[in-house]
Amino acid sequence: MARLTLPQLERHLFAAADILRGKMDASEFKEYIFGMLFLKRCSDVFEERYEQIIKENLARGRSPEEAKKRADDPGRYGETFYVPPTARWSYINKELHKNVGDGLNVALGTLESHNSSLEGVVQHINFTRQVGRTRLPDVSLRALIQHFNRYRLRNEDFEFPDLLGAAYEYLIYEFADSAGKKGGEFYTPRDVVRLMVQILKPRSGMRVYDPCVGSGGMLILSRQYVEESGGDPNNLSLYGQDNNGGVWAICKMNMILHGIPGANIANDDTLLTPAHVEGGELVRFDRVLANPPFSQNYSIDGMGFKERFSYGFCPETGKKADLMFAQHMLAVLREGGMLATVMPHGVLFRGGAEQKIRAGFVKDDVLEAVIGLPPNLFYGTGIPACILVMRAKGAKPAERRGKVLFINADAEYHTGRAQNFLRPEHVEKIVSTFDAFHDVPGYAAVVDHATLAANDYNLNIRRYADNAPPPTPHDVRAHLVGGIPRAEVEAQRSLFAAHGLNPRDLLVERDARYLDFAPSLEVRGQLGPAIAENAGVREQEGLLRDAFRAWWEAHSPLLRALPATKALMTLRAELLASFGAALADVGLLDRYAVAGVVASWWNNHLYDFKAAAAQGWRGLVEGWVATIRAALSIDEETRNGGVADPLGHPLVKRLLPDYLRELSAAEARVAELDGRLEAVKPGSDDDEGAEEAVADEEALSEAELKALKKELAAAKKRVKALRAELDKRLAASFAALSDADCERHALAIARDDLTAGLERAVTVQRQRVIATFESWWDRYQVPLREIEGRRDEAAKRLEQFVRRLGYAG
């Protein structure tokens, strides 16, 4: 039986939100979805354990009554939650038909009261809460129950073990995206989190803490990093605190669904009442990372552990609590500990108390790096943000003491629909620069404390690491008489050499200081094809492709063996390291771009690889088939809203190429007939081509028009019939596959996707070369004297025309 795949579960959860969407905002109904999911999961896992206890006791010779009595004992559910009868899904699904909201509230309350570790986690969810003038009716809640009844959520039902945690993360992201500004209260974009985790590099045996934990993403990704690095993630202690009770509950559920029930997550105001205390003292941590709420007020009155703020107190009003959070984080570091925190740019240069705090950070040598981030990365704010990296006093490596690294990464990002985001190559560049701790012209600068003191401890990033692009050079002589300055060509030598281009293949001698475009290049549009087809460029790109093929040939056996070895993280480390070594040496792409290609590919296929490790390659392909068949039931309008077209899945393209060609021909026939019919419809008087359309109509008799419509209807029917056949054809094709076929198709799809990513990176690099030549064309190909000559000629023609009209003066 096919197991539940991640795309299926994601679609299932998103569809659950659709039941409530429109009745209230995402920020309001998210708790209902989270609560229902948690209730269903707890009940399904409980039922599995319940059945196991009965089976074990029957095997020992006990009667069914005795076995049931033991199964009903809450003390036998140490590793799972005990679910009382009124909270069990069987009761909710079969018995709750009236006053459904009250019944769900009772279910959550009894679940919490029977499990001390859930105290405060679910009982606050109120299915009878009034929103506006109404509350959710029974019919909507029953629809939600029926929807969640579709899938069982036991571990054995998932294609890989942590599927539910991955789906929950997806749901958190979707709610954050829908909630807009409010999404920033509980969600930090995962690309930013990965950046911070990779800078801090948590290790097995450490304590990791987030004082503004939100949904818990920083803790979860810290755990994943330890696993990816070959450490034991179970030997990592996770701590967090959040002031918002609803967000704290989301985090607790997130930890449980990720299989981390032991995470110590507290609900209170971190500045006012830090919750992690042992023996009357604050608990200390090896790694601290956070995205505190920007620009908040705070109160000193009643504050505990004021000694945390040894560098001074920010004003309580004026929304300047940011450096209070930074000081708290610094105060709870263990000896040798390290922190990374997101901050608004204002903390870097504002005066007053904040300047004194910055000065203290620098003088005590606890500030290691200031990293400027791109704009619009975070929900709720478009203002620029930065990351402060700090260490416990005296913990800086000797070679970094007395210095601060400034990284200006605000110009390197990918533009998304609503938010910008960092790609793996951007993260890799920042992390590599931090690890190397050296100057990178136009990107990073190491600044000594004396310089910072001379600037009154102003840490404005651009003051030290200015990444403003150099002004475009303009050669006056070239503008006047034409020609491309040799100095400008020489300045681009490294760009051209990387791509194998000899610029003299497109340029010819003019004089000692200038070059001209080759006579064969007559129009600007010829530049792109000329560069793409250049022998040196093609050879260099060929070398990169050869290196990739050799790498795949050498390393794909490691991927092929994944179902047997199950060494997913060992495989990841080997593939990412070897790919970089094999391709960066070619020189066409820099190491950041190469790292970005393979990291993006791994991230895109991670859950596929997890499924293959758990279920084998056949299990993975079977999951794809199940996902595609499930998507066929989604209407086209919903699919346009975000569900992928099943016809576009690479497995369909590999298994059913003849079917896709047949369907494409049928759809083309519909388009052709539709166009003919549209052409013979009479247009309005002001429509372009109306007279021609009427003429066409007159050319067709009524019988011919009727026959055309009949043919179009038959063609549309054929398309519909072909689409309906996809499910049957796909199932039959999959049934005919051997295990070796499944492995071959899965690996080929992974290889093709990596190839496509590499080709995109090559295209971007080639386009940089083309853009350089196009810039020269735009600036210098038509010199001023020629422009003046054209102007004079045009003026002369205009004067002659005016004279012919009799308007000469």
Side-chain angles (χ1 to χ4, degrees):
M1 181 184 74
R3 296 172 187 250
L4 189 60
T5 68
L6 183 58
Q8 282 179 284
L9 185 53
E10 289 177 346
R11 192 177 304 129
H12 175 65
L13 295 176
F14 195 74
D18 285 338
I19 295 173
L20 302 181
R21 193 172 280 111
K23 298 178 176 66
M24 58 186 74
D25 294 337
S27 59
E28 296 170 321
F29 68 66
K30 68 178 185 297
E31 289 187 347
Y32 296 161
I33 304 299
F34 289 145
M36 195 73 81
L37 172 64
F38 192 73
L39 197 57
K40 181 68 163 65
R41 166 64 171 176
C42 289
S43 183
D44 286 354
V45 173
F46 166 81
E47 291 290 350
E48 182 179 22
R49 177 61 182 150
Y50 188 91
E51 294 167 5
Q52 184 183 12
I53 292 172
I54 288 179
K55 184 177 179 180
E56 290 172 353
N57 280 273
L58 290 176
R60 292 170 183 163
R62 294 188 175 95
S63 68
E65 293 76 14
E66 290 174 323
K68 185 177 183 304
K69 182 178 179 181
R70 283 169 169 76
D72 285 331
D73 178 11
R76 297 181 181 272
Y77 295 87
E79 296 183 2
T80 60
F81 296 114
Y82 173 77
V83 182
T86 55
R88 294 173 192 172
W89 194 258
S90 56
Y91 175 84
I92 292 171
N93 185 46
K94 295 176 182 177
E95 304 297 333
L96 276 188
H97 294 280
K98 292 183 178 180
N99 298 319
V100 179
D102 291 324
L104 290 171
N105 288 346
V106 169
L108 292 172
T110 57
L111 175 64
E112 185 174 306
S113 65
H114 281 80
N115 299 274
S116 59
S117 62
L118 291 180
E119 183 179 355
V121 175
V122 293
Q123 196 169 3
H124 73 285
I125 300 173
N126 183 5
F127 282 95
T128 62
R129 180 167 61 92
Q130 186 167 308
V131 180
R133 294 184 177 181
T134 63
R135 66 180 192 175
L136 286 175
D138 283 351
V139 63
S140 294
L141 293 174
R142 280 300 306 174
L144 200 60
I145 290 169
Q146 290 302 309
H147 182 80
F148 273 96
N149 195 54
R150 289 183 57 191
Y151 294 119
R152 196 177 66 175
L153 301 178
R154 297 181 182 181
N155 287 344
E156 65 185 63
D157 301 316
F158 303 150
E159 67 171 348
F160 57 84
D162 59 341
L163 179 138
L164 191 61
Y168 191 80
E169 278 284 308
Y170 161 81
L171 198 58
I172 291 173
Y173 163 75
E174 288 293 341
F175 280 133
D177 196 44
S178 301
K181 184 174 181 179
K182 290 184 178 179
E185 295 177 3
F186 59 89
Y187 186 83
T188 301
R190 295 310 183 242
D191 47 348
V192 177
V193 178
R194 289 190 186 92
L195 167 62
M196 296 169 70
V197 170
Q198 289 182 34
I199 286 173
L200 295 189
K201 299 175 178 55
R203 300 188 302 275
S204 181
M206 285 185 169
R207 286 178 175 177
V208 178
Y209 170 58
D210 182 349
C212 308
V213 73
S215 61
M218 295 205 184
L219 300 182
I220 288 170
L221 264 66
S222 293
R223 193 173 192 271
Q224 290 179 1
Y225 179 87
V226 169
E227 184 180 12
E228 290 171 357
S229 303
D232 179 7
N234 296 315
N235 189 24
L236 188 72
S237 300
L238 302 179
Y239 298 78
Q241 182 169 342
D242 203 283
N243 191 37
N244 185 310
V247 171
W248 168 81
I250 290 173
C251 179
K252 289 283 287 186
M253 286 188 273
N254 199 11
M255 294 296 157
I256 291 168
L257 294 176
H258 272 89
I260 322 172
N264 188 331
I265 311 299
N267 177 206
D268 213 331
D269 187 320
T270 297
L271 294 183
L272 196 63
T273 313
H276 297 97
V277 179
E278 290 180 357
E281 294 188 0
L282 293 171
V283 176
R284 299 299 195 267
F285 306 96
D286 301 284
R287 296 290 184 267
V288 181
L289 64 172
N291 177 17
F294 284 4
S295 307
Q296 299 286 299
N297 291 326
Y298 76 102
S299 175
I300 296 177
D301 187 33
M303 179 181 284
F305 299 97
K306 292 181 182 178
E307 65 274 14
R308 290 175 289 166
F309 310 107
S310 59
Y311 296 101
F313 289 86
C314 298
E316 294 177 76
T317 58
K319 298 184 176 181
K320 295 181 179 179
D322 307 287
L323 289 181
M324 298 296 287
F325 283 104
Q327 288 190 81
H328 165 76
M329 297 170 71
L330 191 61
V332 298
L333 283 179
R334 272 180 168 171
E335 185 178 343
M338 191 175 181
L339 73 85
T341 180
V342 179
M343 289 276 134
H345 270 232
V347 305
L348 302 178
F349 52 79
R350 288 194 294 249
E354 289 174 298
Q355 182 189 31
K356 293 178 181 177
I357 293 170
R358 290 195 306 271
F361 289 167
V362 173
K363 290 175 182 177
D364 278 356
D365 209 6
V366 295
L367 180 64
E368 185 164 5
V370 181
I371 302 169
L373 297 175
N376 203 31
L377 289 180
F378 300 93
Y379 291 101
T381 178
I383 66 174
C386 65
I387 294 173
L388 301 184
V389 183
M390 306 173 75
R391 293 190 192 250
K393 192 172 181 179
K396 264 192 186 181
E399 67 277 9
R400 300 188 178 195
R401 291 175 185 166
K403 305 170 188 173
V404 176
L405 172 67
F406 289 83
I407 299 176
N408 195 343
D410 65 4
E412 301 191 11
Y413 59 91
H414 182 76
T415 303
R417 177 175 55 86
Q419 306 290 134
N420 297 328
F421 61 90
L422 300 174
R423 281 182 163 162
E425 56 265 35
H426 304 139
V427 173
E428 172 66 21
K429 185 173 182 179
I430 294 171
V431 174
S432 297
T433 303
F434 174 80
D435 290 344
F437 207 82
H438 61 190
D439 291 348
V440 178
Y443 186 75
V446 177
V447 182
D448 61 45
H449 286 181
T451 301
L452 299 178
N455 287 324
D456 293 326
Y457 301 101
N458 185 322
L459 305 182
N460 193 328
I461 300 168
R462 196 172 292 276
R463 179 183 288 252
Y464 307 105
D466 189 355
N467 64 351
T472 302
H474 287 275
D475 186 289
V476 176
R477 181 181 180 280
H479 278 301
L480 290 174
V481 299
I484 302 165
R486 289 177 183 266
E488 290 189 27
V489 177
E490 182 63 25
Q492 300 296 332
R493 175 187 293 273
S494 61
L495 173 66
F496 300 149
H499 221 106
L501 177 68
N502 182 349
R504 299 303 295 272
D505 291 344
L506 284 79
L507 305 173
V508 296
E509 294 280 351
R510 181 186 181 98
D511 56 40
R513 294 177 53 202
Y514 295 88
L515 302 166
D516 277 327
F517 282 103
S520 59
L521 298 171
E522 298 177 347
V523 294
R524 185 179 189 271
Q526 291 178 300
L527 292 172
I531 291 171
E533 296 301 319
N534 179 267
V537 168
R538 296 181 67 178
E539 180 182 1
Q540 185 74 344
E541 292 181 2
L543 289 174
L544 187 73
R545 295 182 184 108
D546 290 344
F548 169 70
R549 282 191 288 268
W551 174 85
W552 182 263
E553 188 69 26
H555 291 85
S556 60
L558 300 176
L559 187 57
R560 185 178 294 113
L562 181 59
T565 65
K566 303 190 184 302
L568 188 66
M569 295 309 161
T570 301
L571 175 65
R572 176 188 182 278
E574 172 60 28
L575 293 185
L576 268 62
S578 62
F579 188 85
L583 273 67
D585 286 348
V586 175
L588 196 156
L589 302 175
D590 66 34
R591 65 190 183 94
Y592 306 121
V594 171
V597 167
V598 70
S600 294
W601 170 78
W602 179 269
N603 291 341
N604 291 340
H605 288 269
L606 174 60
Y607 295 122
D608 287 339
F609 296 155
K610 286 187 174 184
Q615 309 297 332
W617 296 112
R618 185 173 194 85
L620 170 62
V621 174
E622 185 179 18
W624 286 344
V625 171
T627 297
I628 295 166
R629 297 178 71 181
L632 291 173
S633 63
I634 306 295
D635 60 77
E636 187 171 348
E637 182 178 349
T638 303
R639 190 174 298 132
N640 289 340
V643 177
D645 181 2
L647 291 171
H649 196 286
L651 185 67
V652 175
K653 295 178 181 179
R654 292 189 66 83
L655 295 185
L656 302 173
D658 294 338
Y659 164 80
L660 290 177
R661 281 191 290 270
E662 186 179 359
L663 177 61
S664 178
E667 289 175 334
R669 181 59 177 163
V670 167
E672 177 192 348
L673 295 172
D674 225 357
R676 287 175 57 189
L677 185 61
E678 193 66 30
V680 299
K681 289 181 180 178
S684 60
D685 291 342
D686 57 350
D687 282 344
E688 185 177 347
E691 293 181 2
E692 184 180 342
V694 172
D696 285 342
E697 181 189 24
E698 292 172 352
L700 288 179
S701 66
E702 185 176 342
E704 289 171 327
L705 189 59
K706 185 176 181 181
L708 180 60
K709 291 180 179 179
K710 183 177 180 181
E711 188 177 1
L712 176 59
K716 288 182 176 179
K717 186 176 180 181
R718 175 58 179 157
V719 169
K720 186 176 181 180
L722 278 172
R723 284 185 169 274
E725 290 179 19
L726 175 57
D727 184 83
K728 182 179 178 181
R729 292 200 190 194
L730 183 63
S733 182
F734 171 69
L737 294 178
S738 66
D739 289 352
D741 291 332
C742 290
E743 176 189 284
R744 176 171 52 83
H745 285 301
L747 291 177
I749 287 171
R751 179 201 62 216
D752 291 348
D753 191 43
L754 183 53
T755 301
L758 186 62
E759 290 298 330
R760 284 192 294 271
V762 170
T763 299
V764 168
Q765 179 70 5
R766 187 193 312 128
Q767 192 56 44
R768 288 183 60 204
V769 176
I770 294 171
T772 301
F773 279 86
E774 289 177 340
S775 176
W776 288 333
W777 186 284
D778 295 339
R779 281 180 284 148
Y780 302 133
Q781 181 62 11
V782 183
L784 179 62
R785 290 182 181 176
E786 185 175 335
I787 293 174
E788 290 175 337
R790 292 178 184 178
R791 181 203 61 193
D792 294 344
E793 180 62 29
K796 187 181 297 183
R797 288 199 305 270
L798 177 61
E799 183 179 0
Q800 292 172 350
F801 179 71
V802 169
R803 286 180 181 279
R804 287 199 301 270
L805 292 175
Y807 293 113

